[in-house]
Each structure stands twice: as C-alpha cells, then as structure tokens.
C-alpha cells in the first residue's frame, strides 16, 4: 500500500524517473511533448497550492521578523549572485541574445518551487515563503538595472515586465490565497479537515508531473540548439557548484540556524527559470527562441541539481546539530 510517507521517502527516485520520462516523451513524441507546454503553469499553481497548504501561516510573523535571514537573503541574491554571474559570463563570453537569457534566469531568485525544494531539503520553508514578496519586489526593481549593466541600454526597450507580474499573481498569489482559505475551512468544518489531509498528498506527485511536462515540452528546443547549449551548460553547472559554498559562508557570517542556512542555500542556488520564461517569449522574434532555449536549458540543469541539493545540503553541507 502506497502511503504519503513512502512517497516522500522515495521522492529522489521518483523525480529522477520523471526527468527520464519527460525526456523520452519529448524526444519520441515531439508534437505531443511540445503540446504539453500549456500545462506547465497550471501544474505549478496546483503544486504551490499543495505546498502552501502545509505551511502554518499563523507562524509566519516569526519568520518575517528574522532580520538576519532577510539581510543574508538579499545580500546573497542581489550582491554575490550578480558578481558570480558577471565572473562566469566573463570567463565564458556569449552573444547578446544568449547573454540576455542567462541574465534573465540567473539574476532572478526563484519565488515558487524553491519553497518545495527547501522543504524537501529540510530547510525552513516558512522563511522562504515569508521572503517571497520581498524577493519579488526587489528583483522587479533591480532586474532592469542589472540588465543595463550586463548588456546595455538596448535592454530598456526589449524586456517587458507584464508577463513576470502575471506569472507571480497566477503562480504565487492565487495558490496562496486558496491555501489560506483551505486552512481556515479546516479549522471549522469536518470536510475542511479532509481537504487538508488531501493536500498533504499533492507535493510529491505534482512535482513529478511538473518535471515531466517541463522536460517533455522543452527538450526539443534544447536538442535543436545543441551548439548553444554546450556553451551555456558550464556556466550553469559552475553556478550550481559555487552558490552553496558562498551561501554557507554567508550563513556563518550571519549566524543563521540550520533551517535558515539551508533555506539560504536553496534560495541562492535556485533561479526563476519557469517564471521568467514568459519574459523570454515576449522578446522580439530574433531574440525569442535563443533566449527561451537558454532559460529552458537552465531549468533542466537546475532540476537535476536540485535532486542532488535535497540530499547534499541536509546530509553534508548543513547537518542537524548534534544533541549532547
């Protein structure tokens, strides 16, 4: 008999198999796989609803009041990450459309499924949830400035912010409100209690479904532009390797506890790939395909990296303190 606990215990294998299934569908049944693209946002929204429903919102005030974590988060994501991105793109210089895709995805910290991976990696997901509005506002304000620094004034007339706002509302705000309503319902009605128990089953299977449809719908683009992919993969791999190390040092400097330190590692290592994809698709035709391909490549590399993170971070980088 399958239980929720058994699903959670086998989640790494489930996600690994999901990546393979998505790749098989996308390469074998190309038209069908590409047609799954429309399901990405709805599935992420349902996933976030299931994740949000498990978080006790009454305790969020304590999370927001963690000033040390918020400072570490902002400094890590908006000071150290851009420095590393600048260094990597200097070592591996890219044409402007490719560089735009890299900057869009690496300069924007994730505000959705990072919460899921933080929980799976035994970090403090409440802190990540509380930081979501702050991360969103700061990256909205600072992204044009960073693009101007990295690429030039040309970006001011190219990048549109409306798709980003729309994605935030649909993928974060709506699921969050529905989760709060479900929790309030669960406090008052027996059916609400049953609904809350049902939501506890959602994160693992929904994450598996998201991995399948993202890879199935996007791997064709990656395969088509393989020469571009070979140029950007080293940047993404090095980013995934460097970020946990820097985040661990920042966590030490700010004296973060274990859960907060893990949350910082996941935030700095996880980028806004699925949410900034609409930004790339809103670019002029001559830039659209290349930038989208670069972002999708980061998604695939990152998802594989996250499967390593959720095991590496709690078991090696930031272990639970020993009880004396």
């Amino acid at each position: 008999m399958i239980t929720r606990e058994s699903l959670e215990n086998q989640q790494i294998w489930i996600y690994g198999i999901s990546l393979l299934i998505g790749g098989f569908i996308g390469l074998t049944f190309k038209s069908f796989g590409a047609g799954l693209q429309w399901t990405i946002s709805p599935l992420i929204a349902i996933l976030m609803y299931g994740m949000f429903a498990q978080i006790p919102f009454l305790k969020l005030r304590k999370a927001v009041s963690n000033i040390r974590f918020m400072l570490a988060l902002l400094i890590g994501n908006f000071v150290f990450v851009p420095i590393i991105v600048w260094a990597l793109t200097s070592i591996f210089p890219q044409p402007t459309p490719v560089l735009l895709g890299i900057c869009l995805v690496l300069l924007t910290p994730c505000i959705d499924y990072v919460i899921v991976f933080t929980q799976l990696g035994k970090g403090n997901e409440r802190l990540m949830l509380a930081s979501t509005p702050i991360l969103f506002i700061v990256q909205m304000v600072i992204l044009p400035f960073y693009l101007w620094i990295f690429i030039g004034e040309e970006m001011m007339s190219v990048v549109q912010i409306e798709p980003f706002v729309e994605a935030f509302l649909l993928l974060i705000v709506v699921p969050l409100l529905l989760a709060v309503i479900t929790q309030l319902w669960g406090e008052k009605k027996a059916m609400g209690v049953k609904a809350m128990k049902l939501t506890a089953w959602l994160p693992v299977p929904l994450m598996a479904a998201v991995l399948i449809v993202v890879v199935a719908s996007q791997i064709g683009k990656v395969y088509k532009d393989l020469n571009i992919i070979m140029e950007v993969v080293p940047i993404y791999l090095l980013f995934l390797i460097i970020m946990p190390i820097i985040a661990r040092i920042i966590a030490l400097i700010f004296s973060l506890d274990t859960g907060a330190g893990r949350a910082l590692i996941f935030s700095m290592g996880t980028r806004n790939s699925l949410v900034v994809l609409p930004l790339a698709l809103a670019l002029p035709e001559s830039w659209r395909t290349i930038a989208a391909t670069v972002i999708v490549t980061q998604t695939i590399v990152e998802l594989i990296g996250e499967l390593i993170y959720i095991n590496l971070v709690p078991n090696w980088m930031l272990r639970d303190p020993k009880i004396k």
Side-chain angles (χ1 to χ4, degrees):
M1 179 180 178
I2 298 177
T3 64
R4 180 166 59 86
E5 290 74 17
S6 65
L7 279 178
E8 293 174 351
N9 290 335
Q10 299 299 322
Q11 59 196 347
I12 294 179
W13 291 105
I14 293 172
Y15 299 152
I17 293 171
S18 298
L19 290 173
L20 295 176
I21 292 173
F24 175 77
I25 293 174
L27 295 176
T28 307
F29 308 99
K30 296 180 180 179
S31 297
F32 175 74
L36 292 174
Q37 179 170 323
W38 73 270
T39 67
I40 294 175
S41 291
L43 284 174
I44 290 178
I46 299 171
L47 169 64
M48 297 314 299
Y49 163 72
M51 185 64 234
F52 290 155
Q54 310 311 308
I55 298 174
F57 289 97
L58 295 179
K59 298 181 180 179
L60 282 184
R61 182 180 299 178
K62 182 179 178 180
V64 176
S65 65
N66 192 328
I67 302 300
R68 286 206 309 270
F69 174 76
M70 291 300 174
L71 285 175
L73 192 73
L74 292 175
I75 291 172
N77 276 300
F78 299 111
V79 177
F80 283 95
V81 166
I83 291 173
I84 296 302
V85 173
W86 174 81
L88 291 174
T89 53
S90 297
I91 296 171
F92 303 96
Q94 303 294 329
T96 303
V98 176
L99 181 60
L100 174 59
I102 293 171
C103 290
L104 278 174
V105 72
L106 291 187
L107 294 176
T108 51
C110 186
I111 54 173
D112 43 66
Y113 64 57
V114 65
I115 302 169
V116 178
F117 283 120
T118 300
Q119 185 196 46
L120 296 177
K122 300 179 181 178
N124 191 329
E125 74 275 9
R126 293 193 300 275
L127 284 176
M128 282 310 310
L129 175 59
S131 69
T132 293
I134 298 172
L135 288 177
F136 170 68
I137 292 170
V138 173
Q139 65 185 268
M140 283 281 291
V141 171
I142 208 168
L143 179 60
F145 172 71
Y146 278 139
L147 291 178
W148 176 73
I149 290 177
F150 277 79
I151 299 172
E153 296 181 0
E154 188 179 3
M155 289 300 91
M156 297 303 100
S157 60
V158 173
V159 177
Q160 301 177 26
I161 212 67
E162 290 83 358
F164 194 59
V165 177
E166 180 181 352
F168 176 76
L169 292 174
L170 294 178
L171 301 182
I172 299 295
V173 176
V174 172
L176 183 58
L177 291 175
L178 290 175
V180 172
I181 292 172
T182 305
Q183 288 188 5
L184 293 173
W185 185 29
E187 290 182 352
K188 298 178 179 179
K189 302 290 184 180
M191 285 296 295
V193 175
K194 292 181 180 180
M196 282 298 298
K197 290 181 179 179
L198 182 62
T199 62
W201 284 80
L202 292 178
V204 174
L206 260 297
M207 177 59 76
V210 168
L211 296 181
I212 290 172
V213 299
V214 166
V215 175
S217 63
Q218 305 300 324
I219 198 170
K221 298 177 184 178
V222 174
Y223 186 75
K224 182 180 178 181
D225 295 308
L226 209 55
N227 58 324
I228 297 175
I229 303 312
M230 293 299 101
E231 295 291 329
V232 299
V233 165
I235 295 176
Y236 295 149
L237 289 176
L238 286 171
F239 184 88
L240 283 172
I241 293 170
I242 294 170
M243 279 305 106
I245 299 171
I246 294 179
R248 183 70 179 90
I249 294 172
I250 295 174
L252 284 173
I253 293 173
F254 281 85
S255 301
L256 300 182
D257 61 40
T258 302
R262 291 170 181 169
L264 180 65
I265 291 173
F266 277 97
S267 180
M268 290 182 63
T270 311
R271 303 289 90 192
N272 223 349
S273 51
L274 299 182
V275 177
V276 298
L277 187 57
L279 275 178
L281 297 176
L283 292 170
E285 183 65 34
S286 58
W287 293 41
R288 183 183 306 161
T289 302
I290 294 176
T293 299
V294 170
I295 290 173
V296 169
T297 301
Q298 194 276 339
T299 303
I300 295 173
V301 173
E302 177 178 270
L303 290 175
I304 296 172
E306 294 290 345
L307 298 181
I308 298 173
Y309 271 20
I310 61 178
N311 182 59
L312 185 69
V313 171
N315 294 322
W316 294 92
M317 290 206 69
L318 252 177
R319 297 181 179 180
D320 290 318
K322 295 181 179 179
I323 301 176
K324 295 183 179 179

